[in-house]
Amino acid sequence: MTEHASSLNWIKYSALLIGIVCFFLTFVPFTRVVMIGSLVGDYIIFVLTPVGAILSIIALIRSSRKFIPIVALVLSLSFPLFLILVFVLILTGVMDFAP
């Protein structure tokens, strides 16, 4: 395995790992730390989201196989997708705006 291929694999799989962490910290109730009043959890997601997205984009540009970087990008962008989902649910009336 060449040096370029091993560094590309490292980028792809680290982006996938960051994306999985972002997904779990955003959507899974037992590990959710986003938008529950924890400033530390929000900062963790604010840092992990662009790092995962940048690594995924780098892997998309350099790789010929694009499945893992696309999945990593979607998972890394789970917090902005969550905000869009909440905004749509509030506008349609499915979710209450205030208690």
Side-chain angles (χ1 to χ4, degrees), residues 26-92:
T26 303
F27 286 112
V28 178
F30 298 117
T31 60
R32 185 169 177 204
V33 296
V34 177
M35 303 201 30
I36 60 167
S38 170
L39 193 60
V40 175
D42 289 341
Y43 282 156
I44 290 171
I45 293 297
F46 290 158
V47 169
L48 286 179
T49 297
V51 168
I54 289 170
L55 287 175
S56 300
I57 290 170
I58 290 171
L60 274 172
I61 292 171
R62 292 187 181 176
S63 177
S64 61
R65 300 182 192 166
K66 303 200 183 287
F67 179 71
I68 292 175
I70 289 173
V71 170
L73 183 63
V74 170
L75 290 176
S76 293
L77 293 176
S78 61
F79 180 61
L81 294 174
F82 173 75
L83 291 178
I84 292 169
L85 180 69
V86 166
F87 186 69
V88 167
L89 290 176
I90 287 174
L91 286 180
T92 57

Side-chain angles (χ1 to χ4, degrees), residues 1-13:
M1 185 176 272
T2 64
E3 180 69 29
H4 177 69
S6 66
S7 67
L8 183 62
N9 281 337
W10 183 84
I11 290 172
K12 285 195 310 191
Y13 289 114

